[in-house]
Amino acid sequence: MIMKKTIIIFSMMMLSVFCVMAQTSSWLLNGNSNATNSNFIGTINNVPLLFRTNNTVRMGLLSSKAYLGIGTDAPVSNLHVHSTEEQSGSRPLPNFFRMTNTVTGALSTDGFQIMQLQKNVSLMQLEKANLSILNNGNGLVIDTNGYVGFNTQYPKQKIHVVDNNILITRTSTMASGSTNGSMLFGDEASDNCPYGVWGIEYVNGESDGYGLNFWKTWNCTGEGFNYALFLSNDGNVGVGTNSPQAKLSVDGNICAKEVRVSLEGSPCWPDYVFDKGYDLMNLDELNTFLNTNKHLPNVPSAQEVQQSGLDLGEMNALLLQKIEEMTLYIIDLQRQIDELKTKGGK
């Protein structure tokens, strides 16, 4: 009997010790003053750690990876935010990530926000402040006016690039693997007119030409065309052509109030015709030349002009030379007429 009582008393004492140990090792809801480095909230077996409110899982931390899910107990990245709430029409409510501090305040209109609305994602600085995306101190800034600056904190235009270039490439032998690209201009932007009205693109091909093409887009008016202006790689300029053969080649008419041609070389103008030592072909020699060649001396033939064109400055000088020579012929003929009159009067 005594042994039985002893066993009962010992059992009750051990139960009390276990209860005390259990109480001293449990976390209290109102804080713990005896926590040590060995204390933690979590699991020691291969199950995730779940956080619930109203008996619904709100966050989950995987057991095998440092993946934390908010709105999901099966995260697929280090931080995975998933929204399951829906608004009317079974459309999901926007998903938000927000950063605020004591300067910005903590209202819904404060701070920095990343928002996902269906499949669209927006990065927003909600207050009047710059939004910067930097890499090793370099990058872009969007200021309070919506101006974008590259390598500058103070952009002065919608796009402001400091100490660098803007490059647009296209697929070509000189830029392998790139895609075609143009700078486009227009007063309308819609699904029907995604290319604006005018474009500038670099072309590099046998059929397109080699250079910078200023072109009129087709999609809005249906009256587009290429090579309104073409700057060739060799420095020549074409209007209506992608293969200019001179500093300026025009495939069409030219209308101008004034055209000035500068001539080089000496002599550049045929005043030498009136020099006393000028060798003027006599009329018999001229007649023989015309019968043989069908054009004036030193003047290009019709075939030469058709094949190579003509130089306006040089041709004007040649025409003036022929006019001056004709003047000398007329003066000489008048002299002969006057001599005949004098002889006939005797």
Side-chain angles (χ1 to χ4, degrees):
M1 185 70 177
I2 294 175
M3 179 64 71
K4 185 176 181 181
K5 289 182 178 180
T6 301
I7 293 173
I8 293 173
I9 292 172
F10 179 77
S11 299
M12 293 178 66
M13 290 177 60
M14 292 300 296
L15 180 61
S16 298
V17 170
F18 285 137
C19 289
V20 171
M21 291 178 63
Q23 290 176 359
T24 57
S25 62
S26 299
W27 286 90
L28 303 177
L29 295 178
N30 58 353
N32 299 272
S33 60
N34 59 343
T36 66
N37 291 337
S38 62
N39 296 123
F40 66 91
I41 297 176
T43 64
I44 58 174
N45 55 349
N46 191 23
V47 294
L49 177 62
L50 302 179
F51 298 84
R52 296 173 179 261
T53 62
N54 198 25
N55 203 30
T56 300
V57 175
R58 306 299 186 187
M59 290 195 304
L61 181 62
L62 293 186
S63 60
S64 58
K65 297 179 180 179
Y67 283 10
L68 174 64
I70 300 177
T72 176
D73 58 1
V76 295
S77 61
N78 294 96
L79 178 61
H80 183 176
V81 181
H82 180 67
S83 176
T84 58
E85 299 182 32
E86 295 183 352
Q87 59 185 8
S88 60
S90 299
R91 298 174 62 185
L93 288 171
N95 214 0
F96 293 97
F97 174 81
R98 189 183 305 276
M99 295 175 62
T100 58
N101 54 41
T102 56
V103 176
T104 66
L107 300 178
S108 60
T109 56
D110 295 332
F112 172 76
Q113 172 181 289
I114 301 176
M115 181 183 73
Q116 181 189 39
L117 179 59
Q118 300 186 49
K119 294 184 178 181
N120 300 318
V121 177
S122 302
L123 281 72
M124 293 180 283
Q125 175 63 44
L126 299 176
E127 298 167 297
K128 192 172 183 179
N130 289 353
L131 175 62
S132 303
I133 301 176
L134 304 175
N135 181 8
N136 194 29
N138 299 315
L140 65 88
V141 172
I142 305 175
D143 74 0
T144 56
N145 297 314
Y147 288 6
V148 180
F150 292 85
N151 293 335
T152 175
Q153 295 284 326
Y154 309 101
K156 303 304 180 185
Q157 297 293 331
K158 283 297 183 182
I159 297 179
H160 183 176
V161 180
V162 173
D163 194 27
N164 221 308
N165 304 313
I166 297 176
L167 175 64
I168 299 176
T169 61
R170 59 163 289 153
T171 301
S172 70
T173 57
M174 298 177 66
S176 178
S178 65
T179 56
N180 186 19
S182 296
M183 294 181 62
L184 302 173
F185 306 87
D187 57 358
E188 182 179 355
S190 66
D191 292 338
N192 294 328
C193 297
Y195 300 111
V197 179
W198 284 96
I200 305 174
E201 69 171 345
Y202 177 71
V203 293
N204 186 45
E206 196 66 33
S207 60
D208 295 331
Y210 299 88
L212 201 59
N213 173 31
F214 291 71
W215 59 291
K216 183 78 163 54
T217 62
W218 281 267
N219 59 303
C220 292
T221 62
E223 299 175 352
F225 53 87
N226 280 309
Y227 318 125
L229 182 68
F230 190 82
L231 305 182
S232 180
N233 285 349
D234 59 10
N236 290 340
V237 178
V239 178
T241 175
N242 65 353
S243 57
Q245 302 301 309
K247 284 300 181 182
L248 177 61
S249 296
V250 179
D251 184 8
N253 300 325
I254 297 177
C255 179
K257 290 185 177 180
E258 181 178 342
V259 176
R260 183 176 295 274
V261 179
S262 297
L263 300 178
E264 296 181 352
S266 181
C268 66
W269 206 239
D271 290 346
Y272 53 82
V273 172
F274 298 126
D275 291 342
K276 290 185 177 181
Y278 181 69
D279 186 16
L280 181 65
M281 184 182 295
N282 64 53
L283 291 177
D284 289 335
E285 294 173 336
L286 178 60
N287 183 56
T288 301
F289 183 91
L290 295 177
N291 290 330
T292 303
N293 299 282
K294 309 302 182 185
H295 63 83
L296 288 170
N298 300 326
V299 175
S301 67
Q303 184 179 4
E304 291 174 326
V305 172
Q306 186 175 8
Q307 291 178 349
S308 305
L310 56 84
D311 186 303
L312 290 179
E314 180 182 344
M315 181 54 61
N316 277 328
L318 282 173
L319 293 177
L320 179 60
Q321 178 185 352
K322 299 309 169 186
I323 291 173
E324 291 177 345
E325 289 176 348
M326 187 182 299
T327 302
L328 291 178
Y329 288 131
I330 294 173
I331 292 174
D332 184 61
L333 289 174
Q334 183 63 48
R335 180 186 59 78
Q336 295 180 41
I337 293 171
D338 291 341
E339 288 179 357
L340 290 174
K341 286 181 177 180
T342 303
K343 291 179 180 180
K346 292 181 179 180

